[in-house]
């Protein structure tokens, strides 16, 4: 129960609902004062009842209508797709029939001439036709008829092009109007080169009315892509590195379709001949070299094969480290067929896992094995797998040994249990290095719903981050008390946890102690505060304990709004995503309705080293002069960037410093496209005391051109290398 600010001995009993701003929480004495001033206090029980009436009035909890509309919309999309496919086939067949008829008639005249090279041997019928060709209008009439056909086809083609253009324009306009109201929060990762581990992070994806897709992180627009060909899906990115570094270079045709040769670049450099050819209709054709879906700096694998009319055909292979590690065939429908070896979705240098098994018309069937090898090894070893049914609907059955999301060679976590009709059921165990350390049960009804007591592991569980969670499931939702444990130096001690509602299952309530995503021995950070109806409310403290200390100490925190779904408000001190003992970076500034505004300072070990302004309009974008720091800023790598932002994009001159010494810099375009141009000196991504290496060269339209020089020192050894790029 909360107490009144003005009368600390009295409990809150009412809420003021007047239009003026005031301290909304009232005790009995405050309520009397409000009544005398003709303001509108409501007792808490009446306030809650009226709120519930509003919720009921606007049917916030009723999902049936939304679900019905979702199903109806999906049906329309499916039927539209089938109708378009049917129309396409009919049109394609009709056009092909017309051209075939013309070619047949042309060929018949050619055959007539070829077969009657000696007229004395010709039949009377053939001779009559030859005379008509020579003396009559047979060929002229046929030529006129062909021209008429071609004119009609040209008219039909122009009509179809215009109608599709109008449809595309109208559809794109309607969708942009809808999508422009949505902002998506996406989760991703960054690799911290100084700590050699992942940092979890978030970014915004925004669809604008100007037909752009913007990717925004920490107030900076990382990328802004214009939707040129609305008939095609926009380019999708699997991780933050792709958003920052991946670009495709090529030409567009008359109708904004991709045509001709297209090539990929990474950080402005061509990627090992990645790319291929588009037809005049905007479809991939011939030989292509493509990036794997999860491509990034430590997952440089490629897929190579042939396209036919926009679909993969025949044999395809996967290349990693200049060696083939995967292969398989596509059938005439562009679906996988027969024996395949393919990479797991999370394949990278430290998680080289593959799947091996059989496809039947694009669906997995029979036994599939999971194999793994360590970095530097040649051979893969069997570590798991299981079976799919033979009916071709790709349903898992029987016993399986699986890898968790985020698996890597240090993690060594496997999941063991059974599937029934594609759903997990019965007991599933979680093993670490072969020893059972967790698990629980799924319902026996085959719905794949967790029930009863469970011990679950934190994502990225490894030698340095042995964190587990223990509690109860009810119908697939967490209920009651859940505790967080940390196994360190052989001691498994409770360090966090809290309550889930017993009635509204899966909803956090009351006091909680939560761990940071990067929690480990040298980054022991917790968040302490209260949940209400699943939302954070009130004051939340950020606590930190150094490895050699016994107690946690307050190092940051701030307020969450108690009304608007737990958004951050007021002054906050936040820690960097890669915070640890030797990288004590914090950010200090103000939130308004969950969005950063005004001045924000960057602190390192309590000393200001950077910062700048966010716009006051509530867009959360950086503006004006900023001093930014590198992702891996720490004791041995003090890289800062100084320059200007315009509506979240870097513009003009930006200089790069290592502490107080300028080591590089260059210019961004003034239009606000965030594109580098002209001379640049850039630090190596692993730049620190021991590796003071920079790259010196020129950009043209964001692409490296001409001669670039890599120079500096690595562990005391002089480095000099010349790299030449095509203009």
């Amino acid at each position: 129960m909360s107490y009144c600010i003005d009368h600390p001995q009295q409990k809150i009993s009412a809420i003021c609902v007047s239009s003026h701003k005031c301290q909304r929480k009232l005790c009995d004495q405050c309520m009397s004062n409000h009544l005398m001033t003709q303001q509108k206090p409501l007792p808490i029980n009446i306030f809650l009842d009226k709120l519930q009436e509003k919720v009921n009035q606007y049917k916030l909890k009723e999902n049936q209508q939304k679900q019905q509309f979702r199903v109806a919309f999906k049906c329309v999309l499916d039927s539209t797709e089938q109708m378009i496919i049917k129309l396409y086939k009919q049109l394609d067949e009709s056009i092909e029939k017309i051209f075939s008829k013309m070619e047949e008639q042309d060929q018949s005249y050619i055959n007539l001439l070829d077969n009657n090279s000696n007229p004395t041997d010709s039949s009377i019928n053939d001779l009559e036709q030859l005379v008509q060709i020579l003396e009559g209008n047979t060929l002229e009439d046929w030529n006129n008829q062909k021209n008429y056909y071609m004119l009609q086809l040209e008219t039909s083609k122009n009509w179809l092009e215009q109608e599709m253009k109008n449809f595309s324009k109208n559809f794109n306009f309607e969708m942009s109007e809808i999508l422009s109201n949505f902002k998506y929060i996406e989760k991703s990762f960054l690799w911290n080169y100084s700590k050699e581990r992942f940092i979890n992070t978030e970014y915004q994806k925004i669809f604008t009315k100007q037909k752009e897709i913007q990717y925004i992180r920490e107030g900076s627009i990382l990328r802004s892509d214009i939707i040129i060909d609305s008939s095609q899906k926009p380019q999708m990115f699997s991780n933050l590195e792709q958003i920052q570094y991946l670009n495709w270079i090529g030409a567009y045709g008359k109708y904004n379709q991709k045509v001709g040769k297209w090539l990929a670049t990474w950080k402005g450099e061509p990627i090992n001949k990645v790319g291929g050819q588009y037809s005049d209709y905007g479809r991939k054709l011939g030989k292509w070299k493509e990036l794997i879906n999860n491509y990034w700096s430590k997952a440089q694998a490629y897929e190579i094969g042939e396209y036919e009319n926009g679909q993969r055909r025949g044999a395809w292979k996967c290349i990693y480290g200049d060696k083939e590690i995967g292969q398989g065939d596509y059938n005439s429908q562009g679906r996988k067929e027969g024996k395949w070896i393919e990479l797991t979705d999370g394949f990278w240098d430290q998680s080289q896992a593959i799947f091996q098994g059989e496809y039947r018309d694009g669906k997995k069937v029979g036994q599939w094995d999971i194999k793994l090898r360590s970095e530097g090894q040649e051979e893969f070893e069997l570590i798991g797998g299981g079976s799919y049914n033979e009916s071709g609907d790709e349903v898992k059955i029987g016993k399986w040994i699986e890898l968790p999301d985020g698996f890597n060679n240090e993690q060594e976590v496997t999941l063991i249990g059974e599937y029934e009709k594609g759903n997990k059921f019965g007991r599933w165990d979680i093993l670490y290095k072969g020893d059972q350390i967790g698990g629980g049960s799924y319902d026996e009804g085959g719905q794949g719903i967790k029930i009863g007591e469970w011990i679950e592991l934190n994502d990225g569980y490894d030698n340095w981050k042995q964190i587990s969670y223990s509690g109860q499931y009810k119908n697939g939702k967490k209920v009651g008390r859940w505790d967080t444990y940390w196994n360190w130096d052989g001691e498994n001690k409770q360090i966090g946890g809290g309550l889930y509602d017993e009635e509204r299952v899966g909803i956090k309530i009351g006091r909680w102690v939560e761990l940071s995503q990067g929690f480990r021995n040298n980054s022991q950070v917790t968040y302490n505060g209260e949940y209400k109806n699943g939302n954070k409310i009130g004051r939340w403290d950020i606590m930190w304990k150094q490895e050699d200390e016994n107690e946690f100490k307050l190092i940051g925190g701030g307020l969450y709004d108690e009304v608007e779904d737990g958004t951050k408000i007021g002054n906050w001190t936040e820690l960097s995503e890669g915070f640890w003992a030797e990288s004590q970076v914090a950010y200090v500034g103000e939130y308004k309705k969950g969005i950063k505004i005004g001045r924000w300072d960057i602190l390192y070990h309590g000393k200001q080293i950077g910062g700048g302004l966010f716009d006051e309009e509530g867009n959360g974008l950086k503006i004006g002069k900023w001093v930014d720091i590198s992702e891996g800023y720490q004791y041995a790598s003090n890289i800062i960037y100084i320059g200007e932002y315009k509506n979240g994009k870097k513009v003009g001159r930006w200089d790069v410093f290592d502490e107080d010494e300028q080591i590089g810099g260059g210019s961004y375009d003034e239009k606000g496209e965030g594109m580098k141009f002209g001379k640049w000196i850039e630090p190596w991504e692993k730049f620190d005391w021991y590796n003071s290496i920079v790259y010196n060269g020129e950009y043209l339209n964001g692409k490296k051109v001409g001669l670039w020089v890599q120079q500096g020192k690595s562990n005391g050894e002089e480095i000099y290398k010349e790299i030449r790029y095509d203009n």
Side-chain angles (χ1 to χ4, degrees), residues 7 48 413-414 434 613:
H7 308 96
L48 292 174
V413 174
T414 53
L613 293 173

Side-chain angles (χ1 to χ4, degrees), residues 451-493:
I451 57 173
E453 185 174 346
W454 269 81
I455 297 176
E456 300 180 324
L457 305 188
N458 181 273
D459 292 339
Y461 189 101
D462 61 23
N463 286 334
W464 310 103
K465 191 181 180 180
Q466 297 190 15
I467 297 167
S468 60
Y469 310 98
S470 176
Q472 292 279 332
Y473 273 96
K474 182 180 180 181
N475 295 325
K477 300 289 186 180
K478 292 177 178 178
V479 296
R481 177 76 194 180
W482 274 75
D483 292 319
T484 305
Y485 293 88
W486 183 36
N487 185 12
W488 183 246
D489 282 342
E491 180 184 0
N492 194 33
K493 58 182 179 181

Side-chain angles (χ1 to χ4, degrees), residues 369-429:
D369 295 330
I370 304 173
K371 296 182 177 182
L372 178 73
R373 72 178 183 188
S374 299
E375 195 171 3
Q377 282 186 335
E378 289 291 327
E379 300 298 323
F380 287 88
E381 298 178 4
L382 180 66
I383 60 167
S387 294
Y388 291 89
N389 65 358
E390 295 288 342
S391 59
D393 46 6
E394 204 170 271
V395 172
K396 290 181 177 180
I397 56 173
K399 184 179 179 181
W400 270 80
I401 300 176
E402 299 182 324
L403 307 183
D405 294 336
F407 178 90
N408 63 57
N409 292 350
E410 290 186 358
Q411 190 181 14
E412 299 183 66
V413 174
T414 53
L415 315 174
I416 300 178
E418 286 201 48
Y419 278 92
E420 186 177 74
K421 296 180 180 179
N423 290 319
K424 293 177 178 178
F425 83 103
R427 177 75 191 183
W428 273 73
D429 292 324

Side-chain angles (χ1 to χ4, degrees), residues 494-613:
Q494 182 188 342
I495 56 171
L499 288 173
Y500 287 90
D501 198 304
E502 293 281 359
E503 301 297 327
R504 298 170 300 167
V505 292
I507 301 296
K508 289 182 177 180
I509 56 173
R511 298 291 299 179
W512 271 79
V513 176
E514 300 181 327
L515 308 190
S516 68
Q517 291 190 343
F519 189 100
R520 57 187 57 222
N521 63 307
N522 58 8
S523 182
Q524 299 180 40
V525 175
T526 67
Y527 303 96
N528 302 6
E530 186 176 354
Y531 276 95
K532 184 178 181 180
N533 298 325
N535 294 319
K536 292 177 178 178
I537 61 169
R539 173 76 192 183
W540 274 72
D541 293 327
I542 303 175
M543 311 294 290
W544 178 54
K545 184 174 81 71
Q546 298 214 50
E547 199 170 355
D548 57 354
E549 294 178 345
N550 294 321
E551 300 294 331
F552 282 86
K553 62 183 179 182
L554 181 66
I555 194 174
L559 289 172
Y560 286 91
D561 196 306
E562 298 194 22
V563 178
E564 298 189 18
D565 297 331
T567 55
K568 290 180 178 179
I569 57 172
N571 295 324
W572 270 80
T573 298
E574 301 181 318
L575 307 187
S576 67
E577 293 162 338
F579 185 95
W580 65 298
E582 295 176 352
S583 181
Q584 297 180 35
V585 175
Y587 304 92
V588 180
E590 184 181 357
Y591 276 97
K592 183 179 181 180
K593 294 183 178 180
I595 298 173
K596 291 179 178 179
I597 61 169
R599 177 76 194 182
W600 275 75
D601 294 324
I602 304 173
L603 278 59
Y604 178 64
H605 286 266
K607 176 185 176 183
Q608 184 180 344
I609 58 169
L613 293 173

Side-chain angles (χ1 to χ4, degrees), residues 274-310:
V274 169
Q277 195 84 13
Y278 282 92
S279 70
D280 291 339
Y281 301 103
R283 296 170 184 161
K284 292 179 179 178
L285 58 85
K287 185 176 181 179
W288 269 78
K289 183 176 184 179
E290 300 190 307
L291 307 175
I292 62 169
N293 186 55
N294 192 46
Y295 184 96
W296 61 288
S297 300
K298 288 185 170 291
Q300 297 186 31
Y302 312 92
E303 296 173 339
I304 301 174
E306 295 274 340
Y307 273 95
E308 184 179 314
N309 200 27

